[in-house]
Amino acid sequence: MREAKPYTAHYVDIQSSRAEEMVRERLRDIGMITVSGFTSRTIVREFASRIMDITPHRDSDPDGLTTLRDTRRHTHLAGYGGFSNGELTPHTERSGVPKPPRLMLLVCGTPAHYGGDCLLTDGRAVYTDIAARRREAIVALSKERTAFFGGGDGHATQVFTEHPDGRVSVRLRLDGLARFSPTVQSYLPDLRSALTTYQVRLPLDAGQGYLIDNQRWLHARESFTGSRLCWRALGEPRFRLLRGFAPASRSAARPTASGRVVVS
């Protein structure tokens, strides 16, 4: 079995008597956990139901979960990258709807023969980094209705939303269903650079997975070969969770050897 430091650094034992308490604490603190022990789809759904009200959507199955695999029918179709074996760029799940689901659980049922690693980026580190190096970029990326995500029924929004309470949430996609205002275009290289800098690689074996706050973390995936299969649950937390993240007051954001992102 492969070992990945980011995986162990954020691990929560779902069999622990304090599992649900730890999930709530970690999501409120860093917005992400890793989990294991999922030997069946049923166990995935049971765990998801403990922490969220599952949100059915276009691609979900009758039980609310989505089966992600290469169907060989969705290659090159915008918005269906999860059903291909190609690379997925960093994105917010369901970025093109007015209110994306708050939580996303992804569990590996069958790992790829080669590739397919998950790639996660903490939006807080990205925001902090850009704000420190090029404040005007943050101003532009936070301006209302400077991005449009989705097809004809998509949603006009912005990459960073700064809320009245001082917290910030991130929403992004960079595929063929993303369009940006000319006022934002010149700052996209800064955004892409920060996304790469703070990206954490997360290989998953069968039964392993991760849970993220979809308002804080962006997820991506390497291309792969083989019969990779994952199950995904989207939904709203069954506990109080403040919007997005509290931005750091100064830039000391850096990825550590363990895969943690330090922002002070």
Side-chain angles (χ1 to χ4, degrees):
M1 181 176 291
R2 293 173 293 181
E3 183 69 13
K5 289 184 179 179
Y7 180 87
T8 56
H10 297 285
Y11 183 72
V12 169
D13 181 2
I14 63 171
Q15 302 301 325
S16 166
S17 60
R18 295 186 59 245
E20 292 180 39
E21 178 185 350
M22 292 177 67
V23 168
R24 292 193 295 268
E25 289 177 357
R26 296 284 183 88
L27 288 177
R28 288 166 177 160
D29 182 23
I30 59 176
M32 191 264 276
I33 65 166
T34 57
V35 287
S36 68
F38 297 93
T39 57
S40 70
R41 180 190 184 106
T42 299
I43 295 175
V44 174
R45 194 186 188 287
E46 288 175 350
F47 174 72
S49 298
R50 285 162 52 191
I51 59 174
M52 69 173 85
D53 293 320
I54 298 175
T55 305
H57 59 94
R58 179 196 70 183
D59 302 321
S60 60
D61 299 318
D63 64 357
L65 300 186
T66 302
T67 304
L68 299 174
R69 58 188 170 190
D70 180 14
T71 65
R72 302 186 181 181
R73 301 191 308 271
H74 295 85
T75 304
H76 307 308
L77 289 180
Y80 290 88
F83 301 102
S84 74
N85 64 355
E87 175 188 13
L88 293 180
T89 56
H91 63 283
T92 300
E93 197 59 45
R94 306 210 70 209
S95 59
V97 301
K99 186 181 179 183
R102 188 63 193 273
L103 299 179
M104 186 188 90
L105 171 68
L106 184 90
V107 173
C108 177
T110 304
H113 175 71
Y114 179 82
D117 286 355
C118 300
L119 304 168
L120 304 180
T121 306
D122 188 351
R124 182 173 187 251
V126 171
Y127 181 92
T128 300
D129 181 272
I130 297 175
R133 292 188 295 106
R134 201 174 182 188
R135 180 64 195 177
E136 66 272 23
I138 284 294
V139 173
L141 293 166
S142 303
K143 188 174 181 180
E144 292 185 358
R145 301 178 68 85
T146 50
F148 187 89
F149 300 139
D153 59 348
H155 185 68
T157 183
Q158 54 281 338
V159 175
F160 295 110
T161 298
E162 298 178 339
H163 302 288
D165 61 0
R167 296 181 70 84
V168 177
S169 55
V170 62
R171 183 196 297 232
L172 182 66
R173 70 187 305 153
L174 295 166
D175 61 3
L177 294 180
R179 284 164 278 176
F180 297 93
S181 163
T183 60
V184 170
Q185 291 286 346
S186 63
Y187 301 110
L188 293 182
D190 295 276
L191 177 61
R192 290 178 184 274
S193 175
L195 289 171
T196 300
T197 298
Y198 298 103
Q199 197 166 67
V200 175
R201 182 178 300 276
L202 195 68
L204 295 178
D205 281 311
Q208 296 181 334
Y210 65 83
L211 173 68
I212 57 172
D213 181 345
N214 197 37
Q215 287 187 0
R216 173 168 175 172
W217 285 80
L218 302 168
H219 62 285
R221 184 197 69 203
E222 286 185 323
S223 61
F224 66 89
T225 61
S227 301
R228 181 183 189 268
L229 181 146
C230 291
W231 297 296
R232 184 185 67 198
L234 305 174
E236 300 303 315
R238 305 188 68 159
F239 53 91
R240 184 169 179 264
L241 186 61
L242 294 177
R243 291 178 294 191
F245 54 87
S249 59
R250 58 189 176 89
S251 178
R254 60 190 186 278
T256 67
S258 69
R260 289 184 180 274
V261 175
V262 177
V263 184
S264 57

